Amino acid sequence: MTEQALTETATGTTAEIKAEAGTTAETGADTEVAVAVAAEAEAEAEAEAGSPVPAQAGPPVDVDAPSVPVPAADPARATESVADPVPAPGKSRRVLWGIVRWTAAVLVCGGVGAGAAMGITAMERTDVPGLATESDGRWEYPQLALPALPEGVQRPFTDGNEAEIHHTDVRKLLLPAPAGATVDPKLKGGWAGVDSYLAELVEQDRGEVKAYLADSALRHVAARGWTTPDGTSTRIHLLRFSSVAFAEDFKDEMARQLVRSDWLPAGVETQEADAGTIQDVEVPYVAVYAYKEAEPYGPRQTRWSLIQAGDTFAVVTQTRKGGTLTVPFQQTVALQAQLLG
């Protein structure tokens, strides 16, 4: 090769090397920009997350060092990295923590609400504020049950007992005292005798009533009495006759005498029928009458009821200072009638 050709070849090679060096420098500059942008984005993300890390720039690129090959960078990717930086992890954590807190709050509120609902449904109505039912004055009696019968006999008003006889001990048919009542030591639910019943009547009528009972084949008298905290005194007498005919006859005679204001309870001067009080007391085959002391009465008022069920006649008497109460009187009469029926 001639000297001139070698010179031309060398000159072209040098130009190519300079051109390649320029290209490498441009590529290195683009790479430096991309690295710097990414480092800055990462530094901002770490700063927001609470753990700042100092940004480090990439190593400087020596444009005049063609001996170090640098891969060509894609300008499109560099542009995409600048335009769409990676989401900051700190912001994602805050969003996630907010979701967790709200979810926990909802679960706690739901648990409290469910617990309150279960608590209310488990409570009695009278224990729930705003829903409590005010007492209407009824007394709390123990659970009632009819006594067992001897083998081979039936209760009154059933097939096989046309005589309507109570084959059980009538003391077991007395209504027990309600809760909180003080039992009368003279009337504790045992045999009381006819004089105990006569003591409930006006003194001037006791002799006549006693003679009438003597002619009526009276067999037994059982009684129970009590006084409740409100001052109501209750006495119940059961008079059992030898047959239903005698019991019914005594009931009719008592009703006739009361119309004339005779055979009245002690301390009562005038009476009036109290049918409205016991109009809902309906026991099959049982006759129920009610009376009360008419106004004006003294410091105490008396109510009483006559109950006739088969061979047994009952008298329920209640007395209270300031006036007797309708609800406990009606309740007591109804329960005693059911026990006899």
Side-chain angles (χ1 to χ4, degrees), residues 188-338:
K188 297 188 295 184
W191 300 121
V194 67
D195 290 337
S196 173
Y197 167 66
L198 295 176
E200 295 293 326
L201 303 177
V202 175
E203 186 175 0
Q204 63 186 23
D205 295 329
R206 294 173 187 174
E208 184 179 358
V209 175
K210 186 173 184 178
Y212 193 93
L213 290 174
D215 295 336
S216 301
L218 178 63
R219 297 183 60 185
H220 304 293
V221 177
R224 173 173 284 129
W226 63 81
T227 301
T228 51
D230 65 354
T232 302
S233 175
T234 302
R235 286 89 63 202
I236 301 176
H237 289 81
L238 300 185
L239 288 71
R240 184 184 177 193
F241 295 86
S242 58
S243 71
V244 63
F246 286 111
E248 188 172 2
D249 183 69
F250 183 68
K251 177 259 299 179
D252 293 339
E253 184 62 26
M254 178 68 74
R256 285 192 293 267
Q257 295 291 338
L258 289 173
V259 170
R260 299 194 296 264
S261 292
D262 291 331
W263 295 14
L264 292 170
V268 177
E269 296 181 358
T270 58
Q271 59 80 28
E272 61 182 352
D274 194 16
T277 300
I278 49 103
Q279 63 181 356
D280 296 330
V281 180
E282 298 180 357
V283 181
Y285 311 108
V286 177
V288 181
Y289 302 89
Y291 306 87
K292 65 180 178 180
E293 185 177 1
E295 297 182 0
Y297 47 81
R300 305 176 67 86
Q301 185 190 29
T302 299
R303 288 194 189 196
W304 67 102
S305 174
L306 311 179
I307 305 172
Q308 188 254 317
D311 63 344
T312 303
F313 176 81
V315 181
V316 178
T317 307
Q318 284 191 351
T319 305
R320 182 176 181 271
K321 184 178 181 179
T324 53
L325 302 176
T326 299
V327 172
F329 177 72
Q330 182 187 52
Q331 180 190 18
T332 303
V333 171
L335 294 176
Q336 184 59 73
Q338 291 174 6

Side-chain angles (χ1 to χ4, degrees), residues 103-123:
T103 303
V106 170
L107 292 176
V108 170
C109 293
V112 172
M118 291 180 63
I120 289 178
T121 54
M123 295 172 68

Side-chain angles (χ1 to χ4, degrees), residues 86-101:
V86 178
K91 184 177 296 184
S92 300
R93 291 191 185 98
R94 289 201 305 271
V95 173
L96 179 59
W97 176 241
I99 295 174
V100 171
R101 285 188 299 174

